[in-house]
Amino acid sequence: MELLIAREIGSAAFAPGEYIEQQGFMRASEIRELAMRAAIGPGVSVLDLCCGVAGPGRFITRELGCDYVGVDASARAIAIASARARGLPCRFEVRRLPPLPAGRFDVVLLLETMLAFRDKAALLAAVSAALGPGGRFAFTLEEGAPLTPPERASMPDADTVWLTPLDVLAASLHRAGLAVAWQEDHTAAHRTTAQALADAIAADGAEIGARIGPRALEDLLAAHGLWVEWLGAGRVRKLALVAERA
């Protein structure tokens, strides 16, 4: 979605202070809680995967202090993130994942994009290798059985939606040397946010459609409608987790 449109929709859908140019359904307060559970603070090195324009990364760097590296495949998103992070201890890199950047980090962060990785075992092995002993992997998970063929047909960009049952992910974490230390369910809150975003998109549908095209608008509404339905029915759960490396 065009960045300016995303900002307008986010500002309309989230409560005051809860929109920080994040992607997905997480509120700023949830991002802060996850970062604090991962013990992010001054002197802590953080690698943020699929950071986009790094709204959450800039937010936690300002709020909690850390040495931050953001990585994303989009050169345009990284350029925007770099421009908006001036004065903050942030570095950015354009990279497709995996592999991850070289080096060791105290925390690896992955927000709202675990579902985009079909091979989660390979991702988790790379994350574990990037963490030193006692390092933390702070992430969100779209938890549920894989999409059925009819569900894939109804979801726009279904090739970026790879759901995983929690027990399957826990087994992959264990094989990678990671153990869940904290977990919280945000399903109900994210269903409310998804509905608010869908309502905001529909309210400005004519203007948004003129800027991104009617097909893109249709896909945007369809995707948000499915997330509202799936989160409301329990088809998908949204979880925030911190896993520690042994």
Side-chain angles (χ1 to χ4, degrees):
M1 195 193 321
E2 183 182 322
L3 179 60
L4 181 58
I5 293 173
R7 292 176 72 182
E8 292 170 352
I9 293 170
S11 297
F14 285 85
E18 294 287 1
Y19 179 67
I20 50 171
E21 294 189 341
Q22 68 268 41
Q23 297 170 305
F25 307 141
M26 288 193 85
R27 298 171 297 179
S29 54
E30 293 169 344
I31 293 167
R32 184 191 296 108
E33 172 73 7
L34 178 61
M36 292 175 65
R37 294 286 182 174
I40 292 177
V44 173
S45 57
V46 176
L47 174 63
D48 187 5
L49 307 180
C50 305
C51 68
V53 300
R58 290 180 275 123
F59 172 72
I60 64 172
T61 303
R62 284 193 305 269
E63 291 271 311
L64 303 177
C66 62
D67 298 318
Y68 174 91
V69 178
V71 179
D72 198 90
S74 169
R76 180 171 180 267
I78 289 297
I80 293 169
S82 298
R84 293 185 177 168
R86 286 175 185 155
L88 293 171
C90 298
R91 294 186 292 112
F92 297 95
E93 182 178 333
V94 178
R95 175 187 286 264
R96 289 193 174 276
L97 303 170
L100 275 58
R104 286 289 184 95
F105 299 86
D106 299 315
V107 176
V108 174
L109 191 64
L110 180 67
L111 302 180
E112 307 276 58
T113 43
M114 179 67 83
L115 79 171
F117 291 89
R118 187 173 188 177
D119 187 352
K120 292 177 175 51
L123 171 68
L124 295 176
V127 167
S128 181
L131 292 169
R136 286 84 65 199
F137 178 36
F139 65 102
T140 58
L141 175 68
E142 295 77 14
E143 193 272 337
L147 296 184
T148 64
E151 287 173 334
R152 298 199 71 80
S154 65
M155 170 59 78
D157 296 324
D159 59 339
T160 64
V161 181
W162 304 100
L163 304 178
T164 305
L166 185 57
D167 60 343
V168 173
L169 188 84
S172 295
L173 286 167
H174 178 73
R175 286 192 293 271
L178 298 164
V180 174
W182 176 81
Q183 174 182 318
E184 191 163 83
D185 192 317
H186 292 311
T187 304
H190 287 200
R191 193 266 178 200
T192 299
T193 300
Q195 183 66 68
L197 286 165
D199 292 344
I201 294 166
D204 290 331
E207 181 180 348
I208 293 172
R211 291 158 71 177
I212 67 174
R215 178 57 186 274
L217 173 63
E218 183 180 320
D219 286 349
L220 198 58
L221 286 168
H224 281 78
L226 283 171
W227 286 120
V228 170
E229 177 186 337
W230 292 347
L231 291 167
R235 170 65 180 86
V236 180
R237 290 194 302 157
K238 284 294 297 292
L239 306 176
L241 304 98
V242 175
E244 292 185 354
R245 187 176 185 273

